[in-house]
Amino acid sequence: MDQTSALGNSAKAEPLLRPAALWAADCADSALTVFEDEERTDYRLREAIAGAREFGQGGPRNKALRTLAWAAHTAANESEQPSAKFAARSAMLAAAVAYTHTDLNLGRQGVNQARHLLGAAVYAALACELASESPAGVAERVLLAAADTMPEEVGILLKHFPPQPRGTTRLSQLFHDLDARLRLKSAV
């Protein structure tokens, strides 16, 4: 498959999504303790991250993986601490990488689909920042680590989506910053 041509649907992009899922799982794992410090007996995030890794290693994109992603989403909604909520969203998006619609690559839909790829790192960064007693530079360090470990396939996928807009919220700023950093790295 020519990886620089139009990707079409997610089935054609699956060979690119698998390493992206492994990367997203590693990103989400960086914020796992933020959630587990608050919710010591809740393993939904750990299971979602494991599901993302299983997909990344060749496992199926099936109902079980989608269920793991939704369970992490539910954990985010149930958590009272913002840092734990963001950690849960990170795990949810790691499992959801497998469902990135590469055929929805224009306009707002394209921005949203790119967030499937970027979300595990961005939400982990925000979770770690909010959980830190000294938050200055925490999110930036998490995003830098994510950029340093980004597989080539994530850069290829991002080229098919519009760049993240610079927004006014902390979350949108982090999405923009990571997107710009990864695009720059993949251009080299």
Side-chain angles (χ1 to χ4, degrees), residues 135-148:
V138 170
E140 288 74 16
R141 285 191 296 276
V142 172
L143 295 183
L144 182 59
D148 286 346

Side-chain angles (χ1 to χ4, degrees), residues 41-114:
T41 60
D42 190 337
Y43 299 105
R44 291 177 286 185
L45 275 62
R46 190 171 290 277
E47 292 165 354
I49 293 168
R53 285 199 173 103
E54 183 179 334
F55 170 76
Q57 294 167 345
R61 178 176 42 214
N62 58 15
K63 183 179 178 185
L65 181 57
R66 191 178 298 273
T67 299
L68 292 172
W70 278 111
H73 177 73
T74 301
N77 289 341
E78 292 172 356
S79 183
E80 294 182 16
Q81 290 295 324
S83 58
K85 282 182 183 295
F86 290 130
R89 288 183 184 151
S90 176
M92 182 265 298
L93 285 166
V97 163
Y99 300 100
T100 303
H101 293 280
T102 56
D103 54 337
L104 301 176
N105 57 3
L106 300 174
R108 189 70 200 158
Q109 286 182 326
V111 168
N112 289 339
Q113 289 304 308

Side-chain angles (χ1 to χ4, degrees), residues 10 27 31 57 70 77 80-81 87 107 117 130 132 147 149 152 176:
S10 296
C27 293
Q57 294 167 345
W70 278 111
N77 289 341
E80 294 182 16
Q81 290 295 324
L117 300 172
L130 291 175
S132 177
T149 60
E152 177 184 357
H176 175 270

Side-chain angles (χ1 to χ4, degrees), residues 118 147 158 163-164 166 173-187:
L118 303 170
L158 279 177
Q164 294 293 305
R166 183 181 301 277
Q173 291 168 355
L174 292 174
F175 269 111
H176 175 270
D177 291 351
L178 180 61
D179 182 69
R181 182 175 281 148
L182 297 183
R183 288 175 191 274
L184 184 62
K185 180 181 177 183
S186 66

Side-chain angles (χ1 to χ4, degrees), residues 15-33:
L16 298 171
L17 291 173
R18 289 188 185 280
L22 290 172
W23 174 73
D26 289 344
C27 293
D29 197 48
S30 71
L32 185 58
T33 59

